[in-house]
Amino acid sequence: MLRKIEEKKYRHWFKLDNAAKIYPAANTRRWSGMFRLSVTLNEKIDPVILQEALVATIKRFPSFNIRMGKGIFWYYFESNIRKRLQVKPDINNPCAPIRWKDNNGFLLRVFYYDKRIAIDFFHSLTDGTGAMVFLKTLTARYLTLKGYEIPTGEGILDVEEKPDKEEYEDSFVKYANSRQRGRPKEPKAYHMKGTGLDDLDISIITGIVSLEKIKQLAKEHHATITEYLAAILLYSFYKQKEKEGLYKKPTRIAVSIPVNLRNYFKSNTKRNFSTFLNPGIDTILGEYTMEEMLRQIQYFMKANLNDKVLNAMMTQNVILERNLFIRIVPLFIKNFIMSLAHDTIGYRPITTVISNIGIVTVPPEMKELVNRFEFILGPAKIRTPYLAVVSYEDTLVLNFTSKIQETDIERTFFTYLIKQGIPVKIESNRE
Amino acid sequence: MPYCVKCGVELDNSAKKCVLCNTKVMMELPDEIPPYPKEKLEISQLNRGYFSILLTMILLVPNLACLVINLIYTPGVYWMYYVFGGSLLLWMIFIFPMAIKKKRPLLHIFLLFLSATLYLLLIALALSGMRWFLLIALPICITVMSLLYLIILIVIKKKPGKLKTVSISLIAVIIICLVTDGVIDYYIYSDIQLSWSYIVAASIIPVIIGLVLLAGNKKLQNELIKKLHI
Ligand SMILES: [Zn+2]
């Protein structure tokens, strides 16, 4: 709820949504729940104009124009209109940890580098869908200031317009009403071994492929792009597990796939509104072929991707936060328990994550000005690579992020694509 | 455009090697803008200065209270020493490392030694027991401090392995035992006749020899880890 938006006397504030609550608790000096969206244009970025565009854009997004506040029982977001969010030159370690006091209190960081505009978002603010609207609106505003005529629509908001209440509603609270709570019990999943990087470092390995070719390949296997890429990722971890011992416990390999709940419940929120499904295989049953892994993922997705099952999953969490006994626990104790839960239970049922925010569309006027979009997930606290996917026109960008030195998963993944006849271009922030 | 001959992937023009397999790029290419800059975002640290001042204030409160009580109720008998010395020691152990920006173990050890000695001196003054302070407390303090100093110096400069560090520490334990035994003897009998410290030394020395031998033998280490791992 946004209180007193008109009245300047009070700073308006609102509660963190259900998915947002875990991130400040799990935040440490070494790790923050972050993700990055970036756009590469066809011309060099002008930081002065970008700054101007940012000032106009952030006003349009009240749920982004905030800083973190600490209450006795919960964190809250408080409007941060008096401070200014500054654009900065890009960094080598995207998704670096965030501190509440840094960056004038803002929970997002805007960078520029050569032809790229990049934004690191703290996950409490929003999910990939909400963040993409912000990036597209900022980019459109930037291009408008550069003198191009860019219309609104296609996920680009008019920055002059007043924000609609629906855009910053907590959709979890609105829709979670299932009588069934929670998800079926999930066994402990395999976590790969790896050598950690230095605290500040993050490994980013980007693969750029043709969307059309991947689409074709997925179609041949009667699968969606996400399912097909998830299967290759699962295959890569399967190959890794083979090296470490296929029958060594835990034997389940599970890939966590975030699900955009806006596709199943009518919501226009720019805040978090997603959950995740964890399909996978159990190698105790024997050896798997790539095709079998793909089928396992598909069956699981088909069985669970519907509003009823998804509602039950989110109701579980919403019920928890409504519980009076949980609510009256002081924040520092909640923090302690939640961070512990995040570090243990949170990673227990998953081996890795693949997040696909799908195909980004822009108005025709913007098309020839934009080269590509990129999506980067912040690294896991455990030592495993995560995969983030986004497509634009014919460019599908696959981004692996991790805090480990080894690149075996990435190599298996990309050479698999090469073997299927798909050319891959690799970029990285590594030396 | 460069390709990795092993993986078959196309590489960025700025790449010197393939990140997937570390194969070097053979093509000579003009320098191009790499995909990411070199500069890393540094994370600001917790405001330690503020925090340490806060803790110092908290520590000052009981001290002031005790001082007032001491002056009003028991003038002439200064038990305040204990509280003050203890607080100083606490401050040195916990708050001082927080207040300084860089880790400075050698300085920390020295200041710890000073405050511990001062604390003992205050107790000695309060109990008018200068003799045990000079004969027992001071020598032991000096020995412990100089040994710690030496060990930290060796660890920082020479970077010995875990096994060697343990051996050095065990030698230090022997020396501390010998000194303690010696000064107590001298305090009681005004004569040094080492007794129990011999037993300690005799039982530790074989362990040290074993560790030193083990440190030089990688194969044996590997074998032991294999058989004994939990
Ligand atoms: Zn290679």
Side-chain angles (χ1 to χ4, degrees):
Chain A
M1 258 181 293
L2 192 72
R3 317 229 161 153
K4 313 271 182 199
I5 187 155
E6 295 304 325
E7 249 174 286
K8 283 282 155 64
K9 274 186 208 163
Y10 301 101
R11 280 225 167 90
H12 53 261
W13 68 276
F14 42 100
K15 298 176 182 177
L16 273 67
D17 63 63
N18 186 273
K21 287 195 167 94
I22 190 73
Y23 298 104
N27 204 50
T28 70
R29 209 167 53 75
R30 296 187 186 86
W31 186 90
S32 294
M34 306 284 290
F35 68 93
R36 161 179 285 212
L37 286 180
S38 64
V39 61
T40 308
L41 304 182
N42 286 326
E43 52 183 88
K44 215 170 151 68
I45 303 295
D46 181 339
V48 179
I49 295 181
L50 181 62
Q51 179 66 50
E52 204 180 319
L54 178 61
V55 169
T57 308
I58 197 149
K59 281 198 195 122
R60 176 65 184 75
F61 290 82
S63 64
F64 289 60
N65 200 2
I66 51 107
R67 63 162 179 242
M68 189 70 86
K70 242 183 186 177
I72 306 286
F73 301 108
W74 293 106
Y75 283 102
Y76 58 87
F77 288 148
E78 186 177 39
S79 121
N80 200 10
I81 31 177
R82 276 170 224 173
K83 292 267 178 70
R84 195 173 222 228
L85 176 57
Q86 207 73 38
V87 301
K88 285 175 189 146
D90 203 6
I91 49 173
N92 185 269
N93 50 343
C95 306
I98 206 161
R99 300 202 72 88
W100 314 143
K101 296 253 168 69
D102 290 358
N103 195 25
N104 273 344
F106 288 96
L107 301 179
L108 68 161
R109 296 186 285 237
V110 181
F111 298 106
Y112 60 90
Y113 179 72
D114 195 29
K115 298 170 183 169
R116 178 168 70 213
I117 302 171
I119 313 177
D120 285 0
F121 293 91
F122 186 55
H123 214 323
S124 285
L125 283 183
T126 183
D127 54 18
T129 312
M132 188 51 92
V133 176
F134 185 86
L135 176 65
K136 273 158 74 172
T137 305
L138 174 67
T139 311
R141 186 70 204 163
Y142 171 81
L143 290 169
T144 308
L145 291 173
K146 285 281 268 184
Y148 299 100
E149 289 258 338
I150 309 288
T152 54
E154 296 270 5
I156 292 169
L157 302 183
D158 180 1
V159 292
E160 311 291 344
E161 194 182 63
K162 274 236 155 75
D164 189 26
K165 251 194 172 153
E166 277 184 4
E167 289 176 18
Y168 45 83
E169 72 170 16
D170 182 347
S171 295
F172 286 110
V173 170
K174 192 168 166 188
Y175 288 107
N177 57 7
S178 178
R179 280 163 185 277
Q180 174 63 37
R181 276 133 208 198
R183 43 176 87 217
K185 208 170 181 306
E186 290 169 314
K188 186 173 182 225
Y190 153 72
H191 289 170
M192 68 172 283
K193 291 196 166 61
T195 322
L197 295 173
D198 281 351
D199 277 357
L200 271 181
D201 289 345
I202 167 177
S203 154
I204 296 175
I205 297 181
T206 312
I208 302 151
V209 296
S210 153
L211 171 65
E212 219 28 69
K213 286 192 173 130
I214 292 276
K215 218 186 226 167
Q216 194 61 41
L217 201 59
K219 213 173 163 189
E220 281 167 25
H221 291 87
H222 310 286
T224 65
I225 293 178
T226 309
E227 286 166 355
Y228 188 69
L229 292 173
I232 307 178
L233 186 64
L234 186 56
Y235 168 81
S236 309
F237 276 91
Y238 176 81
K239 285 284 161 196
Q240 177 74 20
K241 179 127 182 68
E242 252 181 3
K243 279 185 246 168
E244 291 177 25
L246 217 44
Y247 300 103
K248 205 174 137 198
K249 282 186 177 174
T251 50
R252 185 171 162 82
I253 315 177
V255 179
S256 184
I257 306 179
V259 174
N260 181 5
L261 291 170
R262 294 172 189 80
N263 296 336
Y264 303 88
F265 304 91
K266 195 184 156 292
S267 166
N268 186 26
T269 190
K270 304 289 174 267
R271 295 170 66 189
N272 280 297
F273 196 39
S274 45
T275 185
F276 50 88
L277 292 175
N278 305 330
I281 54 165
D282 202 325
T283 56
I284 197 88
L285 299 173
E287 290 172 21
Y288 280 79
T289 65
M290 164 74 190
E291 200 65 29
E292 285 168 339
M293 288 189 234
L294 176 58
R295 293 292 158 252
Q296 286 300 317
I297 291 175
Q298 283 187 291
Y299 295 146
F300 190 90
M301 298 308 272
K302 285 212 172 77
N304 292 292
L305 268 186
N306 60 70
D307 59 340
K308 293 179 186 63
V309 176
L310 294 173
N311 198 337
M313 287 178 184
M314 66 174 170
T315 304
Q316 164 77 24
N317 299 332
V318 172
I319 291 290
L320 263 181
E321 74 172 21
R322 278 187 195 151
N323 184 316
L324 185 68
F325 291 103
I326 291 177
R327 273 154 57 193
I328 59 166
V329 173
L331 181 63
F332 74 97
I333 298 176
K334 272 197 198 98
N335 270 344
F336 177 73
I337 296 168
M338 283 169 82
S339 66
L340 212 65
H342 173 265
D343 296 357
T344 53
I345 308 165
Y347 289 108
R348 207 182 115 90
I350 65 164
T351 305
T352 182
V353 171
I354 174 175
S355 181
N356 183 0
I357 44 177
I359 301 169
V360 185
T361 53
V362 298
E365 291 85 343
M366 237 170 106
K367 263 185 194 164
E368 55 204 68
L369 305 169
V370 175
N371 180 291
R372 73 177 200 227
F373 281 90
E374 256 184 78
F375 175 30
I376 294 178
L377 283 171
K381 248 187 198 175
I382 54 170
R383 290 177 178 174
T384 186
Y386 278 175
L387 177 59
V389 189
V390 66
S391 322
Y392 166 74
E393 297 285 275
D394 191 33
T395 314
L396 187 146
V397 183
L398 300 145
N399 259 311
F400 277 99
T401 31
S402 76
K403 297 277 274 178
I404 58 170
Q405 277 167 20
E406 293 82 357
T407 55
D408 301 14
I409 299 294
E410 289 91 336
R411 185 157 195 268
T412 316
F413 189 97
F414 290 126
T415 47
Y416 185 87
L417 285 178
I418 296 268
K419 279 176 203 151
Q420 303 306 306
I422 293 181
V424 181
K425 191 192 170 194
I426 300 287
E427 288 180 3
S428 176
N429 71 333
R430 294 168 71 120
E431 286 284 296
Chain B
M1 271 168 266
Y3 280 83
C4 171
V5 284
K6 263 173 97 178
C7 309
V9 294
E10 183 191 334
L11 299 171
D12 192 61
N13 280 349
S14 65
K16 302 273 180 283
K17 62 178 185 185
C18 168
V19 281
L20 300 178
C21 68
N22 278 329
T23 307
K24 274 207 176 127
V25 174
M26 288 305 172
M27 254 159 97
E28 283 291 327
L29 284 162
D31 273 353
E32 278 209 29
I33 299 175
Y36 290 89
K38 281 208 163 54
E39 294 73 33
K40 284 175 193 157
L41 182 73
E42 303 278 340
I43 316 312
S44 77
Q45 298 298 308
L46 187 87
N47 197 339
R48 286 151 164 259
Y50 171 77
F51 206 59
S52 50
I53 289 172
L54 190 78
L55 284 177
T56 309
M57 299 301 244
I58 292 172
L59 203 58
L60 271 177
V61 172
N63 273 287
L64 285 174
C66 285
L67 182 65
V68 171
I69 295 168
N70 190 179
L71 288 177
I72 293 174
Y73 291 98
T74 52
V77 186
Y78 292 109
W79 50 267
M80 222 345 256
Y81 289 142
Y82 303 116
V83 185
F84 175 70
S87 302
L88 184 68
L89 200 57
L90 272 180
W91 192 88
M92 276 298 169
I93 296 173
F94 296 109
I95 304 177
F96 174 75
M98 210 182 283
I100 53 169
K101 275 194 183 119
K102 262 189 174 173
K103 269 191 191 158
R104 303 185 64 178
L106 293 179
L107 179 68
H108 193 197
I109 293 282
F110 183 66
L111 289 174
L112 266 182
F113 159 75
L114 275 187
S115 49
T117 317
L118 184 66
Y119 186 34
L120 290 168
L121 179 64
L122 288 174
I123 292 174
L125 281 174
L127 298 174
S128 7
M130 278 314 278
R131 187 164 176 263
W132 71 257
F133 174 75
L134 287 173
L135 288 182
I136 299 182
L138 197 61
I140 293 180
C141 273
I142 292 175
T143 319
V144 171
M145 201 243 359
S146 33
L147 285 171
L148 267 178
Y149 212 92
L150 212 66
I151 292 174
I152 291 177
L153 211 64
I154 293 172
V155 169
I156 291 173
K157 288 271 147 75
K158 299 267 174 186
K159 293 196 172 56
K162 272 182 204 160
L163 291 173
K164 279 189 184 152
T165 311
V166 173
S167 318
I168 296 167
S169 313
L170 285 176
I171 295 173
V173 170
I174 294 179
I175 296 174
I176 292 169
C177 286
L178 287 171
V179 170
T180 313
D181 198 4
V183 294
I184 291 174
D185 276 0
Y186 192 76
Y187 181 72
I188 298 172
Y189 312 113
S190 302
D191 181 24
I192 296 175
Q193 297 168 323
L194 298 177
S195 52
W196 55 270
S197 55
Y198 281 132
I199 304 166
V200 176
S203 52
I204 292 180
I205 286 170
V207 178
I208 295 173
I209 295 171
L211 284 174
V212 171
L213 287 177
L214 186 60
N217 190 339
K218 283 271 181 273
K219 210 171 151 191
L220 185 61
Q221 278 178 41
N222 190 30
E223 198 64 22
L224 278 175
I225 291 168
K226 190 168 79 189
K227 294 292 180 200
L228 297 175
H229 82 275
I230 308 168

